Amino acid sequence: LTNKQVHVTDYSNASRTMLFDIEKLEWDETLCNKLGIPMSMLPEVKESSAIYGEIADNLPGLSSLKGIPIGGAIGDQQSALFGQACFNAGQAKNTYGTGCFLLMNTGDKRVRSQNQLIEGIAWGLNGKVTYDLEGSAFNAGSVIKWLRDELGIISEPSECDFLAESVEDSNGIYLVPAFTGLGAPYWDMYARGTVCGLTRGSNRRHIVRAALESIAYQSDDLIRAMRQDSNLSVGAMRVDGGASKNGFLMQFQSGISNL
């Protein structure tokens, strides 16, 4: 946007490169050397809200925006944490997208995870840095797409709510949706999906319910890990993403996670 006049990023994006010291707030020379990355290639790192530069005057299609200040940058999940107004330590949000991304604000101190969660910087604002813990489940909304596109047992995602609530339980069926491995807190790239508990009485309603429950079970693993790591009380979780429209899923999540 500045036509090469400014090379800059913010703390949240820098922390995701695995090259940034999130306590010293600088690029880590040792890590860069180990990976053969010249530090001269890396951008300057600033707060998430800062004037980075101005839009250049010779960019195709953007000439009318010449001189407008570029006033911020932030990672997508961190911006969702901020957008959900999780400004205090212990507040958390979960994005139910293709995967699930659960982030917790841990305040002005880095929390060392003992449960294989990701430690990062949520944002830098007004001279202060806010840290976070993040856990990701690789398959969430993609489980619903699998029901529709591969199994063909639903035609629209909106059907899931009705089908899941039309039976008392999953009739003993459990689904582990490790289609692309398992994310946090397991990090098993070789895990694969499993459906167990099938009987002659199993039908598509039970399978749909088990699929929705599997999304909540994965998120509950992340919530438990965050509670243990942070020793913070998580009494509520703010939600967004396409699958958060599913009333059954949100109620089941609330029930098993006690929030």
Side-chain angles (χ1 to χ4, degrees), residues 139-216:
N139 291 280
S142 59
V143 179
I144 297 173
K145 290 183 178 180
W146 173 70
L147 295 175
R148 182 190 66 189
D149 299 342
E150 272 66 50
L151 293 191
I153 60 177
I154 61 170
S155 56
E156 294 294 337
S158 57
E159 292 179 44
C160 289
D161 225 346
F162 167 75
L163 291 171
E165 290 182 336
S166 67
V167 288
E168 291 186 5
D169 53 42
S170 66
N171 197 32
I173 297 177
Y174 290 91
L175 167 66
V176 180
F179 303 138
T180 52
L182 283 173
Y186 307 103
W187 299 115
D188 185 351
M189 62 186 289
Y190 299 108
R192 287 297 175 263
T194 300
V195 180
C196 62
L198 292 171
T199 66
R200 181 63 182 81
S202 301
N203 60 46
R204 72 176 183 134
R205 298 167 187 250
H206 299 128
I207 294 173
V208 168
R209 181 167 179 136
L212 293 179
E213 290 179 353
S214 76
I215 299 171

Side-chain angles (χ1 to χ4, degrees), residues 15 20-26 110 119-121 129 131:
S15 72
F20 193 69
D21 189 318
I22 64 174
E23 292 176 329
K24 294 180 180 178
L25 303 181
E26 61 186 29
R110 175 185 186 178
E119 308 155 19
I121 296 176
V129 166
Y131 291 92

Side-chain angles (χ1 to χ4, degrees), residues 76-89:
D76 59 348
Q77 297 305 325
Q78 294 91 335
S79 70
L81 186 70
F82 191 90
Q84 288 279 24
C86 296
F87 303 139
N88 301 313

Side-chain angles (χ1 to χ4, degrees), residues 15 19 47 61 77 93 100-101 147 155 168 182 221 249 254:
S15 72
L19 299 171
E47 291 190 351
Q77 297 305 325
K93 72 89 196 171
C100 270
F101 299 92
L147 295 175
S155 56
E168 291 186 5
L182 283 173
D221 284 342
L249 173 58
S254 177

Side-chain angles (χ1 to χ4, degrees), residues 94-101 137-143 215 240-244:
N94 196 15
T95 297
Y96 292 82
T98 301
C100 270
F101 299 92
F138 295 154
N139 291 280
S142 59
V143 179
I215 299 171
D240 52 35
S244 68

